[in-house]
Amino acid sequence: MTGRVCDLGNLMPVDEAISRLLDQAPPPPLVQMIRLDQAMGRVLAADIHSPVNLPAWDNSAMDGYALRAVDLPEEGGWLLIGGRIAAGDQACAPLLAQQAVQIFTGAPLPPGADTVVPQERCRIDGERVWLPPASVGDHVRKEGEEVRRGHLLLKAGKRLRAQEIGLLAGAGIARIEVYRPLQVCLLSSGNELREPGDPLAPGQIYNSNRYCLAELLRGWGVEVHDYGVMADELAASRHALSLASSECDLLLSSGGVSVGEEDHLKHAIEELGSVDFWRIAMQPGKPLAFGEVAGKPWIGVPGNPSAALITALVVVRPFLLRAQGMTDVMPRPLAVPAGFDWLQRNKRRQYLRARLTPGAGGQLSVELHPQQSSAMLTAACWADGLAVIDCEQQVLKHDNVMFLSFADLMQ
Ligand SMILES: Nc1nc2c(c(=O)[nH]1)N[C@H]1C(S)=C(S)[C@@H](COP(=O)(O)OP(=O)(O)OC[C@H]3O[C@@H](n4cnc5c(N)ncnc54)[C@H](O)[C@@H]3O)O[C@H]1N2
Ligand code: MOO
């Protein structure tokens, strides 16, 4: 991220982990035709070229008077009012010399008119209108100035938001070709896990990753198949994984990826496919497992709740977006002045739960939550993003620090 040389030992740099995953992303799912009102969050499977010019014809950007600029003296002057055109009217009669027509926003310019003057700058006297000096093209939206017929409107690989859907509608496109939603099976691993609402026996905790990861996946446009907790027993893990691999395009699990021995997940996956344990230079989120189960990619994020959340946001998200056919999958960090000093030098890149706080002059600065434990989620709830501090990097108050907003990472 900064070009700094870090001795990471046997840890894999975060960027390498992401690019290794992207290299192995499966091809996007099959395509389907859908209506525009079903298109929110879906990924375009083919380039879309505009079937029309946008705008379709020259039209007025203001309520006012349309004229031919050469008819108006340099210092402004009087023209005869030759008609009235509202939005939805058809402008067929050409504008006569020394005339202006009253026109409304969005209405077509009559042939010959090339300029519009807003009504509040004009003076009416009976059949005549006085117009101030104007330049050719003022307040005119020219045919095709936004997009020309046949030109690229949206590229394949784009995830559709409200504005893209509006653009497609504006071009008269009713149906589009998108990728089918990616099917992801979600599994939790850990004998200690119980569901919220159930009583807890000593040593047991509630399963938070299941709920948190499922919502992340849905936010990324994925269809979630929730397998709950895998029984901590080889045959049961094998059964759940094999079912999941037949039902889904991809498997995501949490827990059981560090050095623990209590772990049937690893053995079950080795029997059904293959697994590679990575140690990534990020904190939280060092352990991550990547492999395949019966030919379907499987990613295992760490069990600690904040480590699971942040690994999913930073490392898993680009992979899942690419597997959905998206081209632009990396978040764009902002450089924002730090409101803190960070003097410790870390081997692992820090992803610190942080918030943007406006100072006296309105300038934003990044504040850190005092509790950065990977086992706790309260700091992530307080935060609106992650401050990223690279390995060996020290930060002094007011230095720029990279900030990744949750709003970006969660879509
Ligand atoms: N000797 C070492 N121990 C650990 C290391 C290490 O390098 N050497 N790494 C630590 C780090 S960093 C992390 S992160 C964790 C990751 O461990 P696992 O992915 O194997 O996860 P578990 O051991 O299953 O669980 C860790 C922790 O998280 C809780 N957990 C698990 N699943 C859930 C869930 N679905 N909802 C809520 N909480 C969950 C679990 O109870 C544990 O407390 O390993 C460190 N250890
Ligand atoms: O790196 Mo672990 O993922 O800190 O908790």
Side-chain angles (χ1 to χ4, degrees):
M1 192 173 239
T2 56
R4 185 175 295 102
V5 178
C6 297
D7 173 17
L8 300 180
N10 61 354
L11 299 178
M12 187 190 293
V14 182
D15 301 334
E16 183 184 328
I18 295 171
S19 66
R20 275 200 199 194
L21 284 177
L22 288 180
D23 287 346
Q24 299 187 59
L30 298 175
V31 299
Q32 63 179 143
M33 288 297 284
I34 57 164
R35 294 194 317 264
L36 265 199
D37 60 0
Q38 305 165 318
M40 187 63 183
R42 305 296 295 275
V43 181
L44 274 183
D47 290 351
I48 296 192
H49 295 89
S50 183
V52 292
N53 282 327
L54 288 177
W57 14 262
D58 293 356
N59 69 93
S60 175
M62 291 283 184
D63 293 344
Y65 289 83
L67 62 141
R68 199 182 275 106
V70 290
D71 287 347
L72 197 63
E74 242 176 71
E75 63 285 4
W78 291 95
L79 296 176
L80 201 64
I81 301 175
R84 184 179 187 277
I85 310 169
D89 288 351
Q90 214 183 334
C92 7
L95 184 72
L96 301 179
Q98 295 303 311
Q99 282 198 354
V101 291
Q102 191 181 9
I103 196 159
F104 294 85
T105 306
L109 252 65
D114 54 21
T115 305
V116 171
V117 177
Q119 62 188 30
E120 52 276 31
R121 294 202 209 133
C122 303
R123 224 167 49 236
I124 313 296
D125 180 18
E127 305 279 277
R128 297 186 317 154
V129 56
W130 184 87
L131 299 142
S135 307
V136 183
D138 280 357
H139 305 296
V140 172
R141 304 189 288 216
K142 297 289 289 176
E143 175 178 344
E145 78 175 4
E146 185 182 7
V147 184
R148 298 212 64 83
R149 183 183 299 116
H151 284 204
L152 187 66
L153 199 57
L154 291 171
K155 255 190 108 45
K158 177 89 186 163
R159 181 141 177 230
L160 300 172
R161 301 166 297 172
Q163 54 269 50
E164 282 85 24
I165 293 169
L167 179 66
L168 292 167
I173 294 166
R175 290 168 67 78
I176 49 170
E177 201 174 30
V178 296
Y179 294 113
R180 286 177 188 281
L182 193 71
Q183 310 293 313
V184 175
C185 281
L186 180 63
L187 308 105
S188 316
S189 152
N191 238 354
E192 71 281 25
L193 301 174
R194 289 295 171 274
E195 292 310 306
D198 290 349
L200 288 183
Q204 297 181 335
I205 60 162
Y206 289 118
N207 185 351
S208 62
N209 292 346
R210 175 181 185 182
Y211 296 86
C212 178
L213 293 174
E215 292 314 328
L216 286 185
L217 291 171
R218 291 191 188 105
W220 298 330
V222 157
E223 234 160 68
V224 180
H225 300 245
D226 187 348
Y227 272 62
V229 180
M230 259 179 301
D232 212 5
E233 200 262 307
L234 185 59
S237 299
R238 205 193 299 122
H239 178 71
L241 287 165
S242 142
L243 200 62
S245 67
S246 68
E247 198 181 24
C248 294
D249 301 315
L250 233 142
L251 284 66
L252 177 69
S253 65
S254 81
V257 292
S258 69
V259 294
E261 291 164 2
E262 292 281 316
D263 180 2
H264 298 290
L265 179 65
K266 176 175 174 236
H267 300 299
I269 290 177
E270 276 168 344
E271 279 187 22
L272 296 165
S274 63
V275 49
D276 197 1
F277 287 90
W278 295 355
R279 287 159 56 79
I280 305 178
M282 67 186 287
Q283 188 168 20
K286 181 174 55 179
L288 184 117
F290 180 67
E292 50 90 14
V293 177
K296 301 288 173 64
W298 163 70
I299 302 185
V301 294
N304 275 327
S306 258
L309 169 74
I310 290 169
T311 315
L313 290 173
V314 173
V315 183
V316 178
R317 176 180 171 273
F319 177 77
L320 284 185
L321 297 185
R322 181 58 54 81
Q324 289 180 78
M326 271 180 73
T327 37
D328 191 9
V329 297
M330 294 306 290
R332 292 183 190 87
L334 301 171
V336 188
F340 59 88
D341 292 323
W342 185 268
L343 299 178
Q344 69 197 69
R345 292 171 177 277
N346 300 89
K347 247 189 172 182
R348 297 193 264 162
R349 185 186 284 174
Q350 304 294 301
Y351 288 88
L352 303 163
R353 275 121 284 169
R355 203 187 236 189
L356 294 182
T357 312
Q363 164 77 294
L364 291 174
S365 68
V366 180
E367 303 298 331
L368 300 182
H369 193 278
Q371 172 57 267
Q372 295 286 340
S373 161
S374 70
M376 303 178 188
L377 279 176
T378 40
C381 297
W382 169 91
D384 44 33
L386 301 169
V388 185
I389 300 183
D390 220 354
C391 55
E392 303 290 345
Q393 185 185 1
Q394 291 182 309
V395 175
L396 295 177
K397 201 170 176 162
H398 307 305
D399 286 352
N400 271 348
V401 66
M402 289 304 178
F403 180 82
L404 289 169
S405 110
F406 282 150
D408 279 353
L409 294 172
M410 291 189 181
Q411 57 179 8

